[in-house]
Amino acid sequence: LGAAPAMEVCTALTWLAVGVIFGMLDDEMSEQLREGVPKAWMQLTSSLGAKGRDWLLDALPVALAQTIYRLMVDAFAPNAGLLTKNWTKVLEKIGMIVQHELVGFQVTPQTLREFRRRFFQDKILERPYLSLFAARRAKMRQEQLEGHSSAHNGPLAFGSVDGQALEEQQMEHVLELRRRTAAAERRRGANAMPPLCAPELSADRHLDAEAKAEELYLRHLEAIDPEAAEAEREAALAARAEDDAESDGGEPSPTSVGAATPHDGGSPQKRSARARLLRKGTMVRADTEAEKKRREDKLEKQLTAPLPEAYLRRDVRTGC
């Protein structure tokens, strides 16, 4: 599959499969994508030796279908959950498209399943959506961490040059805690803690970078979709108000934010403003979740819908 003709075939079939499954392919574009497939497929099959040629001709369409599915899972990360949930139907549709475009006739789903059992290992048959390379790296890393933990089961040490850096999720938790602590100190008028290290080594420098990245993202989003950008800004403001409410010791709800607490040093006007932001943020999040659910339902319907009639006919095509 690393040969140039195989890559050309795989690229064209990937876009064909994406266009057909998601209903975004018109006749003109489909013909353009199909234009170079017969030539590239002929070059690929002509390069096969006589030994095992029939086996390879059967295996190549199955391998291409699996490759296309894995490309879709990786390329459409926000929709990876639906692609994973409906992997049986999606793989079946991709397999039918590939067989139709390369072999010239449509096979049954049962035949596709038999091909997959013939050529793939059980771990791919059971979880075709997983990246085996990523799984192997994660396993090696886990084994390394377990070995490191058992070998260094001594007292904790901080600031070591050779120490292990925090994972991304751990760093997010640290920054979130620092953000809430700083908000609580500002609300209570407490004196800030003295710096524990030089500014260039402090984790606080990431907060400024995060804020700038968020603002840059919102500016780009505003140019593309002003309504979505406004909803994002309102949700961010509501989240900050919620953090302030939790830092004050109250529950993060509109009713409790407006009530005075022993730790609340804000004025009634500020508490009322926070309550309004929380209510607005709750509505924004509800609308966002409803829109997300609507899009997921629409996408799942597309993933599980039957293929177009052209891919279900039993006639023989000789274009390839």
Side-chain angles (χ1 to χ4, degrees):
L1 292 178
M7 296 175 65
E8 185 175 348
V9 170
C10 186
T11 301
L13 291 178
T14 299
W15 288 116
L16 274 170
V18 170
V20 170
I21 291 175
F22 293 107
M24 302 183 299
L25 196 65
D26 55 24
D27 294 338
E28 182 181 355
M29 182 59 66
S30 63
E31 289 302 321
Q32 291 180 5
L33 290 172
R34 290 190 180 100
E35 187 175 347
V37 172
K39 180 180 178 181
W41 179 247
M42 181 63 68
Q43 291 175 346
L44 178 60
T45 55
S46 299
S47 65
L48 302 177
K51 184 178 180 181
R53 178 184 177 85
D54 292 340
W55 185 90
L56 287 172
L57 287 175
D58 288 340
L60 278 173
V62 184
L64 286 169
Q66 173 66 25
T67 303
I68 292 169
Y69 175 69
R70 283 287 302 120
L71 285 172
M72 290 176 64
V73 172
D74 288 345
F76 305 115
N79 303 319
L82 289 176
L83 290 169
T84 299
K85 175 184 175 183
N86 300 282
W87 68 266
T88 304
K89 189 66 176 178
V90 176
L91 260 176
E92 177 184 303
K93 295 171 73 172
I94 294 174
M96 288 184 172
I97 292 171
V98 171
Q99 292 283 347
H100 184 82
E101 298 294 340
L102 296 182
V103 182
F105 63 91
Q106 189 59 58
V107 296
T108 64
Q110 179 62 27
T111 302
L112 290 176
R113 288 192 289 270
E114 291 176 357
F115 276 147
R116 289 182 61 82
R117 283 195 293 268
R118 178 183 172 189
F119 297 117
F120 290 141
Q121 298 179 4
D122 290 341
K123 54 187 176 183
I124 297 179
L125 295 175
E126 294 170 359
R127 297 179 179 86
Y129 42 82
L130 291 182
S131 170
L132 297 182
F133 294 106
R136 188 177 296 113
R137 287 196 299 268
K139 182 179 179 181
M140 293 174 60
R141 182 174 179 276
Q142 183 63 29
E143 292 175 352
Q144 183 181 5
L145 288 175
E146 291 176 355
H148 184 275
S149 176
S150 60
H152 300 80
N153 201 14
L156 296 176
F158 300 93
S160 174
V161 176
D162 299 326
Q164 185 176 357
L166 291 177
E167 297 180 2
E168 183 176 350
Q169 188 174 10
Q170 291 175 323
M171 179 60 75
E172 289 181 0
H173 293 166
V174 169
L175 293 178
E176 180 66 22
L177 180 60
R178 293 178 72 91
R179 201 164 24 234
R180 295 195 176 195
T181 303
E185 290 176 352
R186 287 195 303 270
R187 298 279 308 160
R188 298 167 189 169
N191 295 326
M193 291 179 59
L196 302 177
C197 60
E200 60 271 15
L201 300 178
S202 174
D204 289 339
R205 70 187 191 280
H206 295 286
L207 297 177
D208 183 56
E210 183 184 20
K212 290 179 180 178
E214 182 70 17
E215 184 60 31
L216 180 63
Y217 162 73
L218 289 174
R219 285 209 305 270
H220 284 292
L221 184 61
E222 191 168 8
I224 300 172
D225 190 344
E227 293 183 1
E230 182 62 24
E232 289 272 1
R233 291 184 188 277
E234 292 176 352
L237 288 173
R240 292 195 190 105
E242 192 171 321
D243 287 345
D244 289 343
E246 291 181 352
S247 300
D248 289 340
E251 295 296 327
S253 64
T255 54
S256 64
V257 172
T261 65
H263 303 289
D264 195 352
S267 64
Q269 291 83 0
K270 290 184 178 180
R271 292 197 299 273
S272 177
R274 283 210 311 275
R276 288 196 301 273
L277 279 174
L278 282 174
R279 285 193 292 269
K280 193 170 186 179
T282 301
M283 291 187 290
V284 168
R285 282 196 294 271
D287 292 342
T288 303
E289 289 297 325
E291 178 63 17
K292 181 180 177 181
K293 182 68 167 57
R294 186 190 67 81
R295 291 181 180 179
E296 288 181 350
D297 291 343
K298 181 179 179 181
L299 177 59
E300 187 166 15
K301 186 177 180 180
Q302 289 177 323
L303 292 177
T304 56
L307 284 170
E309 183 63 27
Y311 288 97
L312 300 177
R313 291 199 302 263
R314 300 291 176 176
D315 56 344
V316 178
R317 294 176 65 248
T318 58
C320 294

